[in-house]
Amino acid sequence: MATRFQGPKGTRDFYPDAMAVRRYIEDAWRTVSTRFGFLEVDGPTFEPLELYKIKSGDEIVSQLFHFQDRADRALALRPEFTPSLARMVAEKAGSLPRPIKWFSIPRCYRAEQPQKGRLREFIQWNADVLGDATTAADVELVAVCVAALEELGLTAREVRVGWNHRELLTRGLCAGPFIAERMPVAYEILDKLHKLDAAGQNALFEARECTPGEVAVFDLLTASAKPGEQGRQAMEELLASWPDDVRSEIAQRQSEFANAGLGDYCAFDMTIVRGLAYYTGFVFEAFDVGGANRALAGGGRYDKLVELLGGPEIPATGFGMGDVVLELVLREKNLLPKNLLPQPDVFVVNILPDPLPAQRLLAHLRKTHWNADHTAVTGRGLHAVTSTRATKNVGKLLQEAAGSGARVAAIFLPDEYARGVVKIKNMADRSETEAPAAEAVAMLRQLIGALR
RNA sequence: GUGGAAUUAGCUCAGCUGGCUAGAGCACGGGGUUGUGGUCCUCGGGGUCGCGGGUUCGAGUCCCGUAUUCCACCCCA
């Protein structure tokens, strides 16, 4: 008896409808990346396990799908693309023109418990700028990130970008009750605060042995992330105690965002720290305003990573955006177009007993035409289909044509065909014309062109 | 890795406290007036009731295990 299988936990099957949605999202990422001057790259789906350990520590191993090959090499399916990218840059850094602006759309794998917005296999758009240490590179990344979201129909009403800067935050906090040694703890707490209630927060403060002064600052930080006047006041109060040059750099960066047309999206947010990863300065997160979902995208500056992988010292900044949360948000906001499947240019309907004339027309429509010396395309192949049904019921076949979304139907009918003509029907306005068989292809091409 | 809920046709679900040859709508397919649009009529394909055990004369229904999905924790690059 045959065994039936389910797909592995946390994976998806892309049937045509789902595949069309995936392509729609990937196309937006790709066109926007290109618009901003990023070049597409990719790397292997698996890498040495060590590559991820170096970057993230040994704890990462339990979150990876890893295995040994026959020569006993430890390998892991990539959980993200940045290590591969850094490795690729480290290998050829000397010969790459700078700044290096690359994007990629890799499938990635994480051996985690699946839940809303998080699967074991997903697709993550990455954009990175290497070799540009200026704030302009950070701004450009946020700009390309936002542009992609806009390309998909999202606006500042639905999504926002919160940004922070680890060094500035550290300097600000150390101007208050914190000492430098407490920063790792402070970052850890900051990263967790927003999802805890008051009791949970207090428990955490106690567990981390926070001083009353530190707790007071955490309370203000929590308040500062809230929208509206209350949040603004908490932010003001905190900033008042921070060094002048830190304050002015924050203001400077925010004005750069505004200058790039991102003023409605971006807000300084002291509570964004992005885990305890390899980020060295600027960090940001894009999220939907409703806030029920996980972050849509996140990234920041990682100036030491390429060096860590044996490459030259090269400043780097980048971000990733996963397809899972993005699709959830687009669905929630009703922003996925209805007809993402390709729609035929021509649907050929045949009522003749002889199938050959219809098949001949199909073949001609699909063929790309070249000029006499084969140097230029004079007519690209069209998307042309027909029915495989046996019925000669014109109504049924036109119904099928309509269902396919075809722009035009070419109809072979006995009486007309005897007179040497084919009927051509514009499916949108239901108008019909007749075409001499010899001119049918040309007329159809013209009609399709006019409708495009 | 831990905890909670769920799993019946491709999809959305009925199936009361165990008594069926397991149903509906949608979707899919054939046909319907020798010739024009998502309608209508009609017929049809498709289900090891997630999987494996157990209790019982009898299990879609009760019990145990397991897989998957969703939710939450851990983690989040």
Side-chain angles (χ1 to χ4, degrees), chain A residues 41-376:
Chain A
V41 297
D42 200 356
T45 313
F46 55 89
E47 290 273 8
L49 178 60
E50 198 62 23
L51 181 65
Y52 303 113
K53 283 207 217 168
I54 285 179
K55 203 210 82 184
S56 309
D58 288 358
E59 323 79 66
I60 195 73
V61 175
S62 66
Q63 314 274 23
L64 301 179
F65 286 106
H66 57 97
F67 57 97
Q68 314 283 126
D69 71 5
R70 297 209 296 181
D72 220 31
R73 282 178 280 252
L75 301 167
L77 293 183
R78 61 186 175 199
E80 56 167 329
F81 188 67
T82 310
S84 298
L85 177 118
R87 181 180 62 68
M88 287 163 70
V89 169
E91 231 166 274
K92 295 215 193 299
S95 61
L96 294 168
R98 300 196 187 180
I100 297 160
K101 290 175 66 178
W102 286 352
F103 80 96
S104 57
I105 305 181
R107 288 181 92 149
C108 298
Y109 305 84
R110 295 179 186 175
E112 294 180 303
Q113 201 61 246
Q115 54 182 280
K116 188 175 189 186
R118 189 163 72 175
L119 298 174
R120 291 186 162 190
E121 180 182 48
F122 55 95
I123 300 159
Q124 188 186 60
W125 172 44
N126 289 260
D128 296 87
V129 177
L130 295 95
D132 183 349
T134 70
T135 56
D138 298 328
V139 172
E140 183 166 42
L141 279 168
V142 175
V144 72
C145 176
V146 167
L149 296 174
E150 286 185 335
E151 184 80 9
L152 293 164
L154 293 162
T155 69
R157 278 198 308 276
E158 290 96 15
V159 295
R160 293 287 161 76
V161 171
W163 67 273
N164 197 356
H165 192 290
R166 290 182 151 215
E167 274 174 34
L168 297 180
L169 178 67
T170 298
R171 292 186 55 208
L173 292 178
C174 288
F178 286 88
I179 55 172
E181 289 69 33
R182 288 287 282 170
M183 289 325 293
V185 173
Y187 278 23
E188 183 206 342
I189 293 175
L190 211 40
D191 201 30
K192 290 180 175 166
L193 276 185
H194 70 276
K195 50 184 166 188
L196 295 174
D197 58 11
Q201 294 187 352
N202 286 330
L204 184 59
F205 294 151
E206 203 148 316
R208 295 291 178 271
E209 299 177 337
C210 294
T211 65
E214 289 174 346
V215 171
V217 172
F218 282 128
D219 286 342
L220 273 178
L221 283 165
T222 305
S224 77
K226 297 217 164 75
E229 186 58 19
Q230 190 197 352
R232 212 183 53 77
Q233 280 180 10
M235 177 86 77
E236 297 276 315
E237 193 175 336
L238 280 163
L239 285 174
S241 66
W242 289 19
D244 286 344
D245 63 321
V246 169
R247 279 210 305 270
S248 68
E249 181 164 348
I250 290 168
Q252 170 64 26
R253 280 179 177 260
Q254 184 60 36
S255 76
E256 282 183 49
F257 285 126
N259 190 52
L262 301 167
D264 292 341
Y265 286 95
C266 297
F268 180 58
D269 183 338
M270 298 174 180
T271 64
I272 289 172
V273 294
R274 300 290 303 156
L276 292 172
Y278 44 75
Y279 293 115
T280 53
F282 175 74
V283 289
F284 78 96
E285 238 168 49
F287 49 88
D288 75 314
V289 173
N293 288 298
R294 314 173 68 82
L296 276 161
R301 195 160 267 288
Y302 53 99
D303 286 342
K304 301 280 181 263
L305 187 61
V306 176
E307 211 180 337
L308 189 63
L309 297 178
E313 201 177 334
I314 181 170
T317 180
F319 73 92
M321 180 186 293
D323 71 312
V324 183
V325 175
L326 178 58
E327 187 181 327
L328 277 174
V329 171
L330 292 176
R331 232 173 254 292
E332 268 173 32
K333 316 283 184 196
N334 212 9
L335 287 172
L336 284 177
K338 292 286 163 278
N339 300 317
L340 288 173
L341 291 172
Q343 310 201 322
D345 297 311
V346 183
F347 192 104
V348 177
V349 170
N350 180 41
I351 309 301
L352 307 177
D354 179 6
L356 294 182
Q359 285 172 7
R360 213 153 38 229
L361 177 63
L362 257 189
H364 277 135
L365 290 171
R366 289 169 172 170
K367 189 171 160 48
T368 294
H369 295 275
W370 295 78
N371 64 0
D373 42 2
H374 219 265
T375 52

